[in-house]
Amino acid sequence: MRCGILAFLHESNTFVSAKTTWADFASDVLACGEAVRERFTSSPHEIGGFFAGLEQERITAVPVMAARALPNGVIEAGTFERLLGMMIDELERALPLDAVLVAPHGATVSEQALDADGYWLSQIRRRLGPQVPIIGTIDPHANLSQQMVDACDALIAYRTNPHIDQRERGEEAARLLGRTLRGEIRPTMAAAFPPLAIRIDCQATDEPPCRDWFQLAEEIRRAPGVLSASIVLGFPYADVPEMGTSTMVVTDNDGKLAQQYADQLALAIWNDRSQLLGPSLDVEHAIDRALAAEPPVCLLDMGDNVGGGSPADSTWLAAALHRRRVARSLVVLHDPTAATAAKAAGVGSRLMLEVGGKSGPLSGSPLAAEFVVRGLYDGTFSEAQPTHGGFTTFDQGLTAVLTTDSDLTAIVTSRRMVPFSLGQLTSCGIDPAAYRVLVAKGVNAPIAAYIKVCRTFIRVDTPGVTAADMTQLSYQHRRRPMFPFEPEGNWLASNPTACAR
């Protein structure tokens, strides 16, 4: 048996003005054939799980293509067409195949296809026909569509946020595929789409309310006839009709049972929606709380969530820490101009710089101060442990470590970088445990890395294209009514299947 492996992963923030280009994929992951195996076999990514699981099932893995880019704005039309063309060409070369394992992100948007994942999965289904099993994984930050569901025999979402179980889910998908090819099961999938969006700071799977929902999903997975049950939390920064939360259940050839369980899981989430309106902390109150807590404290900069596509140069927290002279504080800012100026000045130099705050008013004003250049680095580092996203190698480009007389340390990078590894700091000679306050530009994802040193995590509702309060954003394509935008909606009245139970 021969099983193809296809991956197309991008989280597209439609509120970001910059487009995602071919160069963005080429600088991260753009691999075909055996290059996919070389890149991912030993990684904590789901593709690594695909290879391991297929080997256990004694199915020949046929790597076809893998493309991934750092979260950013929508994919420009020409880039999407070129990537899709490459995918189809590589698939044609790999045929014949008995099955395919796929890894869509689920929140990919292109200029010409708002449901980009549903579009490319449908193209693969059209080429393979209805008899070839297509099974895959999906990020729980997906905006699931019926088109995605219809194109696949089964999809399995990661169960953790931060995402530290990707390889396990890849292995699970491969095992499910093996049982399908042997004729032991016939995966049948159903989904439920309550009119609800979950704000990003309520999406940590080991915190309430998510914790209870994921426990229920585990109970459903153990029920007779059930092969998989998933909660798809959704990605609120993609203005598409599919934006929102959903559930998926896969059974052994029982569509009615799959729909009943998907509805049950969706209803549990819908009934807890009042828990999704918690208060948020602004910058000043967050710093007050940090100063009262046992250090090190991690301030999670939600409005500049790089893993959600933000520009990584927001200065709201950096400026406040500098102004309030919070000793032993640290922030990472994307600013290639400042990094280049620091390199030109040299280590040990003092210079006036305006750092960060250059992507637009939502990022705040540049932090103007006199800085001392403490170090210059090439910005490459690696991560051996599963943290978030399945990344193992990182490159943030030329990086400068700068300090101010207020004892603020700014790590200034020439490429945007997600805060998924402490290697981002230690590779620059920084000991994170020596700091009182560290700013991580994320919401839940950085916790998997920073929990090794930080005793307290405080989420800060800063302005930005990833602001926690979704009602601040201007949507054109979302469903209506939808919670929390229209809080008085009644999903039960319009869902006979759910009501009947």
Side-chain angles (χ1 to χ4, degrees):
M1 292 288 187
R2 287 165 45 85
C3 176
I5 294 177
L6 275 169
F8 187 166
L9 299 136
H10 188 253
E11 194 172 63
S12 309
N13 187 322
T14 63
F15 299 102
V16 173
S17 58
K19 299 293 189 293
T20 299
T21 67
W22 180 269
D24 294 316
F25 286 93
S27 64
D28 189 357
V29 175
L30 188 53
C32 297
E34 288 303 311
V36 179
R37 192 190 307 270
E38 294 168 10
R39 179 70 182 263
F40 285 100
T41 297
S42 60
S43 80
H45 197 272
E46 60 259 45
I47 302 176
F50 288 167
F51 283 114
L54 290 175
E55 183 177 6
Q56 294 165 9
E57 294 292 322
R58 299 186 180 182
I59 298 171
T60 300
V62 182
V64 178
M65 176 181 161
R68 182 183 69 187
L70 198 67
N72 199 10
V74 301
I75 303 173
E76 64 178 11
T79 296
F80 184 72
E81 291 172 3
R82 188 176 173 188
L83 288 168
L84 186 59
M86 176 185 288
M87 182 187 297
I88 298 300
D89 289 345
E90 293 296 327
L91 181 65
E92 294 283 353
R93 276 192 278 273
L95 295 176
L97 295 170
D98 298 289
V100 173
L101 284 170
V102 295
H105 180 282
T108 305
V109 183
S110 74
E111 286 184 308
Q112 76 276 46
L114 295 182
D115 180 15
D117 292 292
Y119 184 80
W120 76 260
L121 288 169
S122 296
Q123 295 298 308
I124 300 304
R125 170 58 74 195
R126 187 173 295 113
R127 178 61 189 85
L128 296 177
Q131 302 306 316
V132 175
I134 299 177
I135 292 176
T137 56
I138 199 167
D139 193 298
H141 292 112
N143 291 318
L144 186 68
S145 71
Q146 190 62 50
Q147 191 174 22
M148 296 180 212
V149 173
D150 293 342
C152 300
D153 294 87
L155 288 170
I156 300 168
Y158 320 149
R159 300 177 193 168
T160 59
N161 185 31
H163 309 326
I164 57 174
D165 67 326
Q166 289 173 250
R167 188 178 177 97
E168 295 173 57
R169 302 288 73 78
E171 292 179 1
E172 180 184 350
R175 289 194 300 270
L176 193 63
L177 185 70
R179 296 180 64 194
T180 302
L181 288 176
R182 290 192 298 270
E184 298 172 4
I185 57 172
R186 185 179 176 183
T188 303
M189 179 166 52
F193 303 91
L196 174 144
I198 300 175
R199 51 185 286 160
I200 203 74
D201 52 340
C202 293
Q203 292 192 10
T205 52
D206 62 352
E207 299 175 16
C210 281
R211 184 169 54 207
D212 291 341
W213 305 337
F214 279 78
Q215 288 175 352
L216 176 58
E218 179 60 33
E219 294 173 10
I220 291 173
R221 275 190 289 273
R222 293 196 296 264
V226 174
L227 302 175
S228 174
S230 297
I231 295 172
V232 185
L233 297 165
F235 182 62
Y237 307 116
D239 182 14
V240 297
E242 296 79 17
M243 190 277 288
T245 302
S246 56
T247 59
M248 301 182 296
V249 173
V250 182
T251 61
D252 183 8
N253 197 27
D254 192 335
K256 183 178 180 181
L257 183 66
Q259 190 64 63
Q260 287 176 346
Y261 277 128
D263 287 342
Q264 179 182 347
L265 199 49
L267 274 173
I269 298 170
W270 176 256
N271 289 336
D272 284 344
R273 63 194 182 280
S274 62
Q275 299 183 39
L276 306 176
L277 298 173
S280 298
L281 283 176
D282 61 21
V283 170
E284 298 300 333
H285 287 95
I287 293 177
D288 289 343
R289 183 173 294 184
L291 294 176
E294 184 177 1
V297 176
C298 181
L299 294 178
L300 294 159
D301 189 351
M302 296 195 292
D304 196 14
N305 174 8
V306 189
S310 71
D313 73 339
S314 167
T315 58
W316 301 109
L317 281 166
L321 291 167
H322 175 63
R323 174 175 48 79
R324 295 177 61 166
R325 305 186 72 83
V326 177
R328 295 182 292 121
S329 55
L330 179 145
V331 65
V332 181
L333 293 167
H334 171 235
D335 190 332
T337 301
T340 301
K343 181 180 180 181
V347 175
S349 300
R350 285 182 173 270
L351 70 164
M352 292 297 300
L353 282 175
E354 291 188 347
V355 177
K358 296 181 175 124
S359 62
L362 285 177
S363 290
S365 301
L367 174 60
E370 184 179 52
F371 291 90
V372 178
V373 182
R374 298 297 183 186
L376 296 166
Y377 304 88
D378 67 6
T380 59
F381 57 97
S382 59
E383 175 60 59
Q385 300 298 318
T387 53
H388 179 97
F391 292 80
T392 54
T393 60
F394 303 81
D395 183 357
Q396 59 189 14
L398 170 65
T399 301
V401 177
L402 311 175
T403 59
T404 69
D405 61 1
S406 66
D407 204 14
L408 170 70
T409 297
I411 300 178
V412 181
T413 73
S414 56
R415 298 179 63 184
R416 285 190 314 132
M417 182 49 58
V418 289
F420 294 170
S421 169
L422 288 179
Q424 184 179 32
L425 313 182
T426 58
S427 65
C428 297
I430 298 292
D431 176 11
Y435 286 81
R436 183 176 187 178
V437 177
L438 302 99
V439 176
K441 292 184 174 295
V443 182
N444 301 304
I447 295 175
Y450 280 73
I451 200 168
K452 299 170 187 174
V453 295
C454 291
R455 298 176 181 272
T456 306
F457 291 87
I458 300 172
R459 296 183 175 95
V460 192
D461 195 3
T462 49
V465 293
T466 57
D469 184 358
M470 295 175 285
T471 63
Q472 297 179 21
L473 303 173
S474 179
Y475 292 87
Q476 304 298 318
H477 304 290
R478 68 170 176 83
R479 290 171 284 165
R480 287 176 169 81
M482 187 179 209
F483 183 90
F485 308 98
E486 292 83 32
E488 301 305 319
N490 185 355
W491 182 51
L492 294 181
S494 59
N495 193 319
T497 303
C499 281
R501 257 197 1 275

